[in-house]
Amino acid sequence: MAPAKKSAKKAAKKAAPKKAAKKAAPKKAAAKKAAPKKAAAPKKAAVKKAAPKKAAPKKAAKRTPNAAFMKPLTPSSELAAVVGDKPLPRTEVVKKLWAYIKKHSLQDAKNKRNINADDKLKAVFGGKKTVSMFEMTSLVSAHLK
């Protein structure tokens, strides 16, 4: 057993210097590559200085909200049980619906895209037990007037 250990140690010692030699070569190559990067750095700085001048005109244009999203819509009686009976914009209806889903932990644990409907939401979702979050908005739009 002793001779086997010695031969294993010798093999390890021989392998170690080879690895060190291989590692030394890339370091030299990296050092050579570093020098050209320093020369290229001032060019990049000049490009960065020009970029903010171009970005300034974009800030002047402000985004206006779409009026169709802000129009208050009256929810149906099934949807009113979840979000309330006052007229709300479509965006607020979706926000309140998500608040209800989170509060009652109706989001599926395994697939977070799916919503497991309780009794109130089944009426809104047309009797479906599970609905994807993308399908939910189209089903809710049928309950808004």
Side-chain angles (χ1 to χ4, degrees):
M1 289 177 70
K5 287 183 182 178
K6 286 182 182 178
S7 64
K9 285 182 181 178
K10 286 182 183 179
K13 285 182 182 178
K14 287 181 181 178
K18 289 180 183 176
K19 289 181 183 175
K22 288 180 183 177
K23 289 181 182 175
K27 286 181 184 176
K28 290 179 183 177
K32 289 179 184 177
K33 289 180 184 176
K37 287 182 183 176
K38 288 180 184 176
K43 293 179 184 177
K44 289 181 183 177
V47 173
K48 287 181 182 177
K49 289 178 184 176
K53 292 178 184 176
K54 292 178 184 177
K58 289 181 183 177
K59 290 180 182 177
K62 290 188 178 179
R63 210 175 137 208
T64 56
N66 189 345
F69 285 120
M70 297 297 131
K71 181 183 174 186
L73 300 168
T74 308
S76 67
S77 60
E78 293 91 4
L79 187 59
V82 179
V83 297
D85 57 350
K86 293 180 182 176
L88 294 166
R90 189 178 303 273
T91 54
E92 290 297 319
V93 170
V94 173
K95 279 184 187 177
K96 288 193 176 202
L97 202 58
W98 271 109
Y100 179 85
I101 290 166
K102 300 270 185 181
K103 182 180 176 184
H104 296 283
S105 61
L106 298 174
Q107 202 168 2
D108 192 40
K110 292 180 182 176
N111 187 355
K112 299 268 186 185
R113 293 181 194 169
N114 289 341
I115 293 129
N116 300 323
D118 62 353
D119 293 334
K120 288 182 181 180
L121 285 180
K122 271 187 186 176
V124 176
F125 296 157
K128 292 184 178 181
K129 186 178 179 181
T130 305
V131 173
S132 75
M133 63 173 64
F134 308 108
E135 187 181 2
M136 176 185 75
T137 52
S138 62
L139 292 170
V140 168
S141 66
H143 290 273
L144 295 170
K145 292 180 184 178

